[in-house]
Amino acid sequence: MNYRHAYHAGNFADVLKHMVLVALIDSLEQKASPFCYIDTHAGRGRYDLKGSEARKTNEADAGFGVLRTATGLPPLLWKWLEIVRACNEGDEMRFYPGSPWIAAHLMRPTDSAQLCELHPEEAGALRQLFHHDKRVHVHQRDGYEALNALVPPKEKRGLVLIDPPFEAQEAEFRTIEKSLKAAMAKWPTGVFAVWYPIKLRSHVQPFHRWLGKCGAKRVLAVELLLRPDDSPLRLNGTGMVIVNAPWKLDDALRDSLRLLPKLLGTPGESEYRLTWLVEEGKDEAPAHGPHAPHSVRRR
Ligand code: SAM
């Protein structure tokens, strides 16, 4: 376990992931009944962009750093940016919020969060960050194992974020599939969001194929590609899949998503994709790749 998210906090992949997270929580809050947020790989909850790790890579400069000065942002990106502002005091914008902070900020008094983090230092920081918040429960344990024990939550509705560091590379997808299969069997109506890196397209395709047959009625893939997905050596793009995607989630994401390649990528090389891997009412999962019938792909 060498991975530390502080090196990457606020980069383009965090922007996509956290924008989708905000849209998912917005949709859960359409109903008054409480929901449970489960984060299997929570991290430390908040990151110091002036800390030595962040300054070593400066990855946030090409993600959050670009958007913080952008004008005319669509409402979803604007809301995400307001959340980052709320994580800071004054105008300095020194801190970038992790997924637990964003979720807890949006949660209502009756909602709850179960946060899992295996690394002792990160788990300690997370516990400290939320020690005052009775809605939030921190577990220092393996997130995949914990997921099986935590679902279904007593609220019976909610969201699971699976955001592993992918230290196992392609093999991580198989671990996710196994874990999702067990969790979905125990909680078929839960919303499950999984983050993944895009290096080589051929690494992602088997996962998408598995999702197409996993039994869920609605599975949406949201991707941001900065460069062609043809090299295993660098992070060319990033994606999220949402199992049991809320109604009209694609519409909620579209305006903000279409702006990201323009703001964060290189003209002619960057694109976004919004693809229904499984769509309710359609008998078969669509073919995959650029010509999938339910895929929107734009530069
Ligand atoms: N979700 C966080 C966010 O968006 O702010 C970032 C999480 S970071 C990508 C992945 C985290 O998973 C790291 O903090 C790492 O220590 C932790 N981790 C690695 N293996 C784990 C495991 N098996 N169970 C729980 N946490 C794990």
Side-chain angles (χ1 to χ4, degrees):
M1 271 216 320
N2 292 319
Y3 182 90
R4 288 291 175 288
H5 196 63
Y7 290 101
H8 311 291
N11 70 1
F12 78 98
D14 261 9
V15 173
L16 180 83
K17 172 177 56 186
H18 294 153
M19 178 188 99
V20 172
L21 177 62
V22 173
L24 286 169
I25 293 181
D26 270 356
S27 79
L28 284 168
E29 293 190 348
Q30 299 297 310
K31 283 193 187 156
S33 55
F35 69 85
C36 176
Y37 170 71
I38 300 173
D39 201 326
T40 59
H41 296 72
R44 61 191 295 122
R46 188 179 64 172
Y47 299 90
D48 183 356
L49 297 177
K50 295 238 162 96
S52 59
E53 294 101 332
R55 279 193 288 119
K56 214 169 221 163
T57 60
N58 290 318
E59 284 192 23
D61 289 356
F64 159 64
V66 174
L67 288 160
R68 72 176 278 197
T69 53
T71 52
L73 293 178
L76 178 61
L77 274 174
W78 184 254
K79 183 165 184 178
W80 158 80
L81 196 54
E82 286 293 297
I83 296 168
V84 184
R85 285 205 181 97
C87 184
N88 287 276
E89 279 170 23
D91 292 335
E92 198 192 3
M93 301 285 246
R94 171 176 186 151
F95 294 103
Y96 182 78
S99 49
W101 201 97
I102 293 172
H105 180 75
L106 293 173
M107 277 161 41
R108 303 158 301 183
T110 51
D111 300 325
S112 71
Q114 304 285 348
L115 311 176
C116 308
E117 168 58 49
L118 193 54
H119 193 281
E121 268 175 41
E122 303 295 275
L126 190 62
R127 195 164 274 137
Q128 177 61 25
L129 191 61
F130 290 110
H131 73 276
H132 61 283
D133 193 336
K134 293 209 159 39
R135 304 167 307 164
V136 177
H137 309 273
V138 175
H139 311 270
Q140 189 196 329
R141 63 183 290 195
D142 178 89
Y144 292 120
E145 246 178 56
L147 178 59
N148 201 39
L150 292 169
V151 297
K154 68 174 181 344
E155 292 87 349
K156 299 279 184 269
R157 56 189 298 265
L159 165 67
V160 175
L161 174 64
I162 301 178
D163 179 23
F166 275 81
E167 286 178 304
Q169 307 284 332
E170 259 189 286
E172 194 78 42
F173 284 116
R174 307 294 84 76
T175 309
I176 294 169
E177 289 163 8
K178 202 168 144 218
S179 175
L180 261 180
K181 188 176 174 192
M184 285 162 61
K186 288 181 77 180
W187 191 24
T189 56
V191 179
F192 297 87
V194 182
W195 178 88
Y196 57 93
I198 304 175
K199 295 177 176 179
L200 266 185
R201 175 59 48 184
S202 60
H203 290 177
V204 177
Q205 279 164 335
F207 180 50
H208 279 196
R209 276 197 292 274
W210 182 86
L211 287 160
K213 293 188 265 175
C214 73
K217 294 204 176 87
R218 298 164 55 81
V219 184
L220 183 67
V222 184
E223 295 187 341
L224 170 63
L225 282 154
L226 295 190
R227 292 173 286 270
D229 43 8
D230 58 1
S231 161
L233 300 176
R234 50 177 198 199
L235 189 63
N236 296 311
T238 178
M240 294 277 285
V241 286
I242 300 96
V243 173
N244 293 330
W247 179 243
K248 297 206 169 183
L249 180 67
D250 50 347
D251 290 342
L253 295 170
R254 192 169 285 108
D255 284 351
S256 290
L257 186 62
R258 65 158 58 109
L259 203 62
L260 292 181
K262 293 184 188 125
L263 289 177
L264 305 182
T266 311
E269 285 206 331
S270 308
E271 61 179 87
Y272 75 89
R273 294 183 189 182
L274 204 48
T275 311
W276 284 105
L277 302 178
V278 183
E279 202 177 0
E280 207 159 24
K282 303 273 187 300
D283 286 341
E284 282 180 25
H288 300 284
H291 306 298
H294 306 285
S295 172
V296 179
R297 186 180 188 225
R298 294 276 184 280
R299 289 193 197 282

